[in-house]
Amino acid sequence: MSAYDASMTEPNPFRVENCSIERTLAVVGEKWTFLVLREAFNGVRRFADMQAGTGAPRQVLSARLARLVEEGLLRKVPYREPGSRRRDEYRLTQKGLDLYPIMVSLMHWGDRYEADPDGPPVVLTHRDCGSPIEIALRCADGHEVPSPREVTPRLGPGARLAG
Amino acid sequence: MSAYDASMTEPNPFRVENCSIERTLAVVGEKWTFLVLREAFNGVRRFADMQAGTGAPRQVLSARLARLVEEGLLRKVPYREPGSRRRDEYRLTQKGLDLYPIMVSLMHWGDRYEADPDGPPVVLTHRDCGSPIEIALRCADGHEVPSPREVTPRLGPGARLAG
DNA sequence: CAGCTAAGTCTAGTTGACAGACTCAGGTGC
DNA sequence: GCACCTGAGTCTGTCAACTAGACTTAGCTG
């Protein structure tokens, strides 16, 4: 997947029927799910707080939480406030935590193109030194890869070409 | 936005009403749009090819293309095959191209957690040296930041706290 | 048992996706 | 000028998901 020359009969010779992006989208590729995940990354764990943070209708939130638990991105952890019944919180699993680069990328693009004129509302910083966080594309040899144009797709071991 | 300690009254002190993630999601936060963008990054430009690659119903595709043009992520470029009328192709703008880290992150997460047992279907490589592409989180001082737990959010210049 | 409250579930109306068919609009050949 | 062509839409009725608001559930406490 890169910006690619279209002077071929098949516009995309890397069109696979088991595309990983599409697999990811099947799990998280819609607004409410992303917002739930955003809340989870912000440490929000309880239903009511998730609802306040996302603005999702309860039915939508309930369904998304159940789905994310089922898919293994969130797990339920029981808790009980004094005076209340036992309830569950929702916490990110490692599988869920590994979505972090996606969330940061979404934020940075929004910071750049959709933020208010005052600038970004939240800045992510390195806990140890305080410098802002960046997302970098590089190759395994350590080269910087600043643009999609310097990326060449290759068919991988699991490639199944589509019609 | 990081994995955060929840032992406070406000579960998320960085809850802003102008969240950049949410701004991004308002533009691209649903399946069909991402699939259109995937095709665009793969060099697919024409309606019929977009449709073949995404599987989107024509009405959905037409609406998404129009929206992406309106939002400035795609632009229309006229073309004409001999024997045919003038038509438009759809190409990524810089604004659209800057979504690349999101697309790569989606792919990598899918490669890791949702791919077939044979492995990823497509591997992105550095054009100049052939090594696989990676996404790295680091800070502006050059430190590696391997986990959300090493990230500290701060309110930015545009922060508008939510209720 | 009544009251409480967080986390769901329900319901009728609205909106968007969907499959399939139809239309449109320039180019070409007759 | 007309018929044919074809890629890019547009239309339509059905189905699925979202939505706002209300209601229910299920443990705990007094």
Side-chain angles (χ1 to χ4, degrees):
Chain A
M1 183 189 69
S2 69
Y4 196 77
D5 186 5
S7 51
M8 273 180 265
T9 304
E10 166 58 61
N12 173 20
F14 298 94
R15 173 145 75 97
V16 292
E17 69 179 24
N18 52 343
C19 170
S20 294
I21 292 176
E22 203 161 333
R23 295 281 171 89
T24 302
L25 294 174
V27 179
V28 301
E30 65 80 37
K31 177 178 107 169
W32 294 119
T33 301
F34 277 122
L35 290 178
V36 170
L37 290 166
R38 178 196 65 183
E39 294 304 306
F41 275 106
N42 287 342
V44 178
R45 295 172 170 163
R46 301 181 180 184
F47 191 95
D49 296 329
M50 288 273 183
Q51 207 205 359
T54 59
R58 310 165 92 84
Q59 184 180 351
V60 169
L61 180 58
S62 177
R64 295 298 185 279
L65 288 170
R67 181 76 199 283
L68 288 167
V69 169
E70 178 195 323
E71 292 287 344
L73 279 72
L74 293 180
R75 60 187 165 99
K76 287 190 191 180
V77 179
Y79 75 98
R80 197 173 84 74
E81 297 283 341
S84 283
R85 52 177 294 191
R86 211 212 63 170
R87 302 188 192 284
D88 293 321
E89 295 183 330
Y90 297 86
R91 295 192 192 179
L92 287 160
T93 62
Q94 188 59 48
K95 186 176 181 181
L97 281 164
D98 283 348
L99 288 163
Y100 196 57
I102 297 170
M103 305 307 295
V104 176
S105 301
L106 289 167
M107 183 192 264
H108 284 181
W109 189 88
D111 284 342
R112 179 154 183 196
Y113 288 104
E114 304 288 329
D116 293 336
D118 292 338
V122 175
V123 178
L124 302 178
T125 63
H126 184 198
R127 189 189 56 195
D128 292 346
C129 78
S131 285
I133 295 293
E134 296 168 349
I135 287 256
L137 272 210
R138 63 188 187 188
C139 73
D141 269 3
H143 307 129
E144 298 297 316
V145 183
S147 148
R149 295 198 168 97
E150 302 192 18
V151 172
T152 302
R154 296 190 202 286
L155 290 178
R160 292 202 267 138
L161 289 179
Chain B
M1 179 190 71
S2 69
Y4 196 74
D5 184 5
S7 53
M8 270 179 268
T9 304
E10 166 59 59
N12 173 21
F14 297 93
R15 173 143 75 96
V16 291
E17 67 178 27
N18 52 343
C19 170
S20 294
I21 292 177
E22 202 160 334
R23 295 283 172 88
T24 302
L25 294 174
V27 179
V28 301
E30 64 79 38
K31 178 179 106 171
W32 294 120
T33 301
F34 277 121
L35 290 178
V36 169
L37 290 167
R38 179 195 66 183
E39 294 304 305
F41 274 106
N42 286 342
V44 179
R45 295 174 171 161
R46 299 182 182 183
F47 190 94
D49 296 328
M50 288 272 182
Q51 208 207 356
T54 59
R58 311 167 92 83
Q59 184 181 354
V60 169
L61 180 57
S62 178
R64 294 299 185 277
L65 289 170
R67 181 76 199 283
L68 288 167
V69 170
E70 181 194 323
E71 291 287 343
L73 279 69
L74 292 179
R75 61 190 164 98
K76 286 191 189 179
V77 180
Y79 77 97
R80 195 172 84 76
E81 296 284 340
S84 282
R85 54 178 291 191
R86 211 213 63 171
R87 300 189 194 285
D88 294 320
E89 295 184 330
Y90 297 86
R91 297 191 190 181
L92 288 161
T93 62
Q94 188 59 49
K95 186 174 178 180
L97 281 164
D98 284 347
L99 288 163
Y100 196 57
I102 298 170
M103 305 307 293
V104 176
S105 301
L106 289 168
M107 182 192 266
H108 285 181
W109 189 88
D111 283 343
R112 177 152 185 198
Y113 288 105
E114 304 288 328
D116 293 336
D118 292 338
V122 175
V123 178
L124 303 179
T125 63
H126 186 196
R127 189 189 55 193
D128 293 344
C129 78
S131 285
I133 295 293
E134 295 169 349
I135 287 256
L137 272 212
R138 62 188 187 186
C139 74
D141 270 2
H143 307 130
E144 299 298 314
V145 182
S147 148
R149 293 197 173 97
E150 302 192 22
V151 173
T152 302
R154 297 192 200 284
L155 291 177
R160 291 203 266 140
L161 288 178

